[in-house]
Amino acid sequence: MNDPRSASTLALFKDAALHVRNSALDDWKAAGKKVIGHVCSHVPEEIVTAAGMMPFRLRGIEISSTAVGDTYFGPFVCSCPKAILQSAGEGKLDFLDGAVMVQACDSMRRLDECWRKASVEDGARMPHFFHYFGVPHKVTDYSVQWFAEEIERFAKALSAHFSVEITDDAIRRAVALHNETRALLVRLEALRFRDDPPLSGSQSMSIILAGTAMPKEVYNPLLSALLDDLEASPGIGHNGKKRIVLAGSVLDDLALIEAIEHEGALVSADTVCFGARAYQGEVDSSENPYKTLARHYLNEQFCPRMFGYTQARFDLILKKFEDSGADGIVFQNIRFCDLHGSENGLFEKRLEKGGIPAMRVEREYGALADEGRVRMRIGAFLETIRKS
């Protein structure tokens, strides 16, 4: 990097990626502004931004156990929503002014009822604005219309609770701001695709994660300046390393990527929902803003919760594999994630038949992750690629 400010920006982004709170978030709250948490990439953050508030993607990081989560979810459930509930139970999410629950999957759907119950019995503070947001599972004319109405219902609920006005013009301005974020992340992805990129996969993911935990008004100018510097910078010695595409279920910490890169590889691309899947395409603001948002968020997320998009998800993985010049694909899913777990198995077999090295890793989320076992399996997989 040529500009000393870039190192400071990278440090800020990594801090936001590793911790629930960060300085940009704290400054936002100190100015008396509101923060609305949510649990799914299908939530149209533009509505929150149009209300003058900050959208914040909830994560269950910085916990040492899931004692609270286990009480309400039981043992045979994805550990991600349990970790988020644990974070609420430990008071780490008390800064939230609102939260949006989504039936992203059966486990995440239950976070709505479990958080409500834990707020009564275990002191897991529930924000006063606690909204259940429905998302269809398939894309048809009637589901797009229904989803547009659901988005408008969300906007009206936000307006009524906080006594703010959300106009169509405000939504269009918010769309432009978030489209800028998407365009910047596409520029970041192009840097990752270089033969010798100027940053590691772990650094790239920390930049992406920071965007889910900072106001876009602060994040965009910082990222733009950082990219200007990185685009003019040489590589940092990754040329010749085996390149990996990381696919599968929610991944919102750096540990797995760091484990892969510790074994001498480079994570050159991803299709996880906190990563590339969340910034595919731009929102077109030429028509009714609610319908525009409905179309975008139903058509561009490529999550296995969506019926009828299996081939599109597979094609996206292949595109990232080809564009990044990757040597193999690592599919990861959190234990008990039926959606990604099942699809990962199908995709792995399909890729192997096509001669593309692929492997699956089942893991726990966050504090429960067994990094030693994962690192050993990654190392063995990389050895098979090196010998092929």
Side-chain angles (χ1 to χ4, degrees):
M1 289 178 291
N2 303 315
D3 189 340
R5 291 173 297 182
S6 296
S8 176
T9 299
L10 273 176
L12 172 64
F13 286 164
K14 186 169 184 178
D15 180 67
L18 292 177
H19 302 102
V20 178
R21 303 288 292 260
N22 63 79
S23 59
L25 169 64
D26 289 340
D27 289 346
W28 182 270
K29 290 290 292 184
K33 299 179 181 180
K34 308 296 185 185
V35 176
I36 306 297
H38 68 89
V39 296
C40 181
S41 57
H42 281 90
V43 173
E45 292 189 335
E46 289 86 347
I47 297 298
V48 178
T49 299
M53 304 175 194
M54 173 187 154
F56 180 90
R57 183 79 184 266
L58 295 178
R59 298 185 286 155
I61 59 175
E62 291 192 287
I63 59 169
S64 57
S65 78
T66 55
V68 176
D70 289 338
T71 300
Y72 296 93
F73 277 99
F76 305 114
V77 176
C78 166
S79 45
C80 178
K82 288 201 285 188
I84 293 173
L85 184 59
Q86 181 72 29
S87 192
E90 293 180 5
K92 291 183 170 64
L93 301 179
D94 286 357
F95 64 88
L96 292 175
D97 300 284
V100 181
M101 301 290 105
V102 181
Q103 86 290 18
C105 62
D106 285 344
S107 297
M108 196 60 78
R109 175 192 59 79
R110 289 199 58 226
L111 181 59
D112 176 77
E113 61 201 54
C114 291
W115 196 339
R116 293 177 190 274
K117 187 73 170 173
S119 70
V120 175
E121 297 179 347
D122 270 300
R125 178 186 170 274
M126 190 177 78
H128 294 300
F129 180 78
F130 203 75
H131 183 82
Y132 188 85
F133 182 72
V135 182
H137 286 278
K138 62 180 180 178
V139 184
T140 64
D141 288 343
Y142 62 80
S143 67
V144 170
Q145 180 59 39
W146 181 90
F147 193 43
E149 294 170 2
E150 185 71 4
I151 295 172
E152 188 170 9
R153 185 179 74 86
F154 170 44
K156 289 178 178 178
L158 205 60
S159 292
H161 184 88
F162 292 101
S163 300
V164 297
E165 184 180 11
I166 302 177
T167 64
D168 288 0
D169 284 343
I171 296 175
R172 291 189 179 97
R173 288 193 297 272
V175 165
L177 180 66
H178 285 259
N179 277 344
E180 180 187 9
T181 304
R182 295 179 180 104
L184 290 168
L185 292 174
V186 170
R187 284 176 61 190
L188 172 65
E189 189 172 60
L191 287 174
R192 299 177 72 182
F193 291 171
R194 284 186 184 178
D195 289 339
D196 187 8
L199 71 177
S200 67
S202 173
Q203 288 174 315
S204 297
M205 184 56 74
S206 71
I207 293 170
I208 295 168
L209 290 172
T212 70
M214 297 172 62
K216 297 295 188 292
E217 297 88 341
V218 175
Y219 178 74
N220 285 2
L222 289 173
L223 179 53
S224 180
L226 176 62
L227 291 173
D228 288 343
D229 186 28
L230 289 172
E231 286 167 347
S233 300
I236 55 175
H238 290 297
N239 196 18
K241 290 185 176 181
K242 294 300 180 182
R243 301 166 74 91
I244 297 298
V245 174
L246 194 57
S249 63
V250 59
L251 188 140
D252 61 0
D253 61 38
L254 305 179
L256 180 59
I257 296 176
E258 289 173 345
I260 293 172
E261 297 190 327
H262 181 271
E263 296 300 318
L266 170 69
V267 177
S268 58
D270 73 83
T271 62
V272 297
C273 72
F274 268 87
R277 225 160 59 200
Y279 56 81
Q280 297 297 307
E282 291 191 349
V283 179
D284 177 10
S285 58
S286 61
E287 61 171 320
N288 177 286
Y290 297 110
K291 203 153 194 177
T292 291
L293 289 169
R295 282 206 183 95
H296 174 83
Y297 280 93
L298 288 183
N299 281 291
E300 298 290 348
Q301 298 304 314
F302 293 141
C303 176
R305 75 176 297 284
M306 298 301 295
F307 176 77
Y309 276 74
T310 301
Q311 188 60 46
R313 288 188 289 273
F314 185 72
D315 290 344
L316 179 64
I317 293 168
L318 279 182
K319 186 176 189 309
K320 300 301 181 186
F321 178 82
E322 293 167 359
D323 290 349
S324 67
D327 301 286
I329 299 174
V330 172
F331 291 99
Q332 54 79 36
N333 66 270
I334 300 171
R335 195 178 181 206
F336 303 119
C337 179
D338 295 332
L339 292 173
H340 283 96
S342 300
E343 193 164 86
N344 285 354
L346 295 173
F347 287 172
E348 180 191 35
K349 290 181 179 179
R350 194 183 296 185
L351 289 167
E352 287 177 344
K353 286 181 180 178
I356 296 176
M359 70 165 290
R360 285 184 295 152
V361 175
E362 187 177 72
R363 64 187 182 88
E364 290 287 7
Y365 175 91
L368 301 179
D370 43 353
E371 291 181 32
R373 177 185 66 85
V374 170
R375 186 169 290 176
M376 182 174 65
R377 291 202 58 208
I378 293 292
F381 175 62
L382 292 175
E383 279 301 312
T384 65
I385 296 178
R386 293 186 184 106
K387 293 176 181 178
S388 60

